[in-house]
Amino acid sequence: MRRLNRKKTLNLMKELDAFPKVPESYIETTATGGTVSLIAFTTMALLTIMEFMVYRDTWMKYEYEVDKDFTSKLRINIDITVAMKCQYIGADVLDLAETMVSSADGLVYEPVIFELSPLQREWQRMLQIIQSRLQEEHSLQDIIFKSALKSASTALPPREDKSLQPPDACRIHGQLYVNKVAGNFHITVGKAIPHPRGHAHLAALVSHESYNFSHRIDHLSFGELITGVINPLDGTEKIASDHNQMFQYFITVVPTKLHTYKIAAETHQFSVTERERVINHAAGSHGVSGIFMKYDISSLMVTVTEEHMPFWQFLVRLCGIIGGIFSTTGILHGIGGFIVEIICCRFRLGSHKSTSVPVQDGHLNNHVPLVTEDAMQ
């Protein structure tokens, strides 16, 4: 009884077979079919390799939402070299809340030589080339995000030559923590002096002939400092053409959460617009000589996430490639064989018509003559 049930089940499963097997004695192989099969297998192998490379790759996904964090402090990372001595200049931040952040809270004034060494000049040249490429090809920013920890530090390398030249510039570097509101970070003549109505800079003791706000921005970023990420102003160098010159940078800061397979950090991206002009009160160009960076915080926050293709999706795409190539090559091979068969049939019909035998009365005899026994003998 069990054997009978087993046979019934086996017969039922055979009837449900969607892949019937054809005996090998009924299969006819041809040279054209083998050629098409070879082309199909080669194409499948190439597409499978390319699909595997796509599966291994990752991409960055951008999501936008309203930034609801207004209580935390914003960190500003600064590394700027000004072509003036440290005792002549002062740096501080004044925001819209009338809160003043002095440079003494986190910035260091270091006397240096403004002219770069050959190694440092080469570093700056390469950084400027990367900046120009980033402006043309925005997709490179995704590569920088993904390879942040694998990249070398973007900081200016130390001098390799021991110059005996006395320091003629001041390197201002460090961090400042400010409120998450619009503000103005500036470097101008004289040290900052706070007072009830704001603040002022003690510039009376500095002569106008010593003003020189030529500067180099080795690094400027907002938020957590991430090694390997290049910011828009890194490597910027400006040379002043006049003693009384103002350099302005209008910066829009966008809070950014970065989540990759190598790093997870809360940083800030920013865009910048530059402007410079000579201060000439007689010509109507008013202002104060110096370097002014006016920043504004965006209300939107960007979440950048590195994503990878799921394995099941890779299998589905792989099955689509294999099945699609099999079906397409089979259809093309059938159409090609049908066309060749039609052409060959026409040639055969033409060859039968050309075997007509002429008769003496001028008519064509298309009948095949009968073969008799005498003729065979």
Side-chain angles (χ1 to χ4, degrees), residues 61-112:
K61 180 181 178 182
Y62 293 82
E63 296 178 337
Y64 303 89
E65 58 181 316
V66 177
D67 185 15
K68 300 178 182 179
D69 184 11
F70 302 106
T71 59
S72 63
K73 293 289 186 177
L74 174 63
R75 174 179 170 179
I76 306 179
N77 308 295
I78 301 167
D79 191 351
I80 301 176
T81 302
V82 185
M84 291 181 66
K85 294 184 177 181
C86 293
Q87 61 266 27
Y88 295 157
I89 58 177
D92 53 68
V93 177
L94 185 64
D95 59 26
L96 291 182
E98 298 297 330
T99 302
M100 177 183 171
V101 180
S102 174
S103 61
D105 297 336
L107 295 183
V108 178
Y109 292 78
E110 179 184 350
V112 294

Side-chain angles (χ1 to χ4, degrees), residues 52-247:
F52 181 72
M53 294 175 63
V54 173
Y55 168 73
R56 291 188 58 188
D57 195 14
T58 59
W59 61 88
M60 307 304 293
K61 180 181 178 182
Y62 293 82
E63 296 178 337
Y64 303 89
E65 58 181 316
V66 177
D67 185 15
K68 300 178 182 179
D69 184 11
F70 302 106
T71 59
S72 63
K73 293 289 186 177
L74 174 63
R75 174 179 170 179
I76 306 179
N77 308 295
I78 301 167
D79 191 351
I80 301 176
T81 302
V82 185
M84 291 181 66
K85 294 184 177 181
C86 293
Q87 61 266 27
Y88 295 157
I89 58 177
D92 53 68
V93 177
L94 185 64
D95 59 26
L96 291 182
E98 298 297 330
T99 302
M100 177 183 171
V101 180
S102 174
S103 61
D105 297 336
L107 295 183
V108 178
Y109 292 78
E110 179 184 350
V112 294
I113 300 173
F114 187 76
E115 185 65 27
L116 294 177
S117 66
L119 179 62
Q120 291 175 329
R121 181 62 64 182
E122 181 65 19
W123 170 89
Q124 187 190 35
R125 188 184 67 84
M126 293 299 298
L127 191 56
Q128 290 175 348
I129 291 175
I130 295 174
Q131 291 285 18
S132 61
R133 291 292 300 275
L134 283 172
Q135 294 177 2
E136 297 174 359
E137 304 177 19
H138 299 286
S139 59
L140 291 178
Q141 187 64 49
D142 293 349
I143 299 176
I144 292 177
F145 280 152
K146 289 190 289 186
S147 61
L149 289 182
K150 294 184 292 184
S151 303
S153 175
T154 57
L156 180 70
R159 299 187 70 92
E160 76 280 6
D161 59 341
K162 297 182 180 179
S163 177
L164 300 177
Q165 178 184 353
D168 59 349
C170 184
R171 179 191 174 199
I172 304 174
H173 59 96
Q175 299 86 30
L176 292 176
Y177 291 88
V178 299
N179 299 321
K180 293 186 68 173
V181 295
N184 180 9
F185 169 76
H186 52 272
I187 303 173
T188 186
V189 179
K191 301 301 180 180
I193 302 175
H195 60 81
R197 293 189 177 183
H199 78 292
H201 287 262
L202 187 60
L205 302 178
V206 183
S207 62
H208 285 75
E209 288 73 17
S210 62
Y211 287 13
N212 184 5
F213 284 100
S214 300
H215 61 280
R216 183 177 59 253
I217 303 175
D218 297 326
H219 180 78
L220 179 69
S221 64
F222 297 84
E224 184 178 347
L225 185 61
I226 302 176
T227 304
V229 174
I230 299 175
N231 296 276
L233 285 177
D234 293 354
T236 301
E237 185 177 71
K238 298 290 183 181
I239 304 299
S241 59
D242 192 273
H243 293 293
N244 297 326
Q245 192 157 350
M246 174 190 288
F247 296 91

Side-chain angles (χ1 to χ4, degrees), residues 301-346:
M301 181 176 62
V302 182
T303 302
V304 185
T305 308
E306 185 178 5
E307 291 194 345
H308 189 276
M309 181 187 297
F311 183 70
W312 65 266
Q313 188 175 353
F314 169 70
L315 292 180
V316 171
R317 291 165 66 99
L318 199 62
C319 293
I321 289 174
I322 297 174
I325 291 177
F326 261 120
S327 301
T328 304
T329 51
I331 293 173
L332 294 177
H333 182 251
I335 295 175
F338 179 71
I339 294 174
V340 171
E341 188 69 23
I342 291 177
I343 296 174
C344 291
C345 287
R346 288 185 177 180

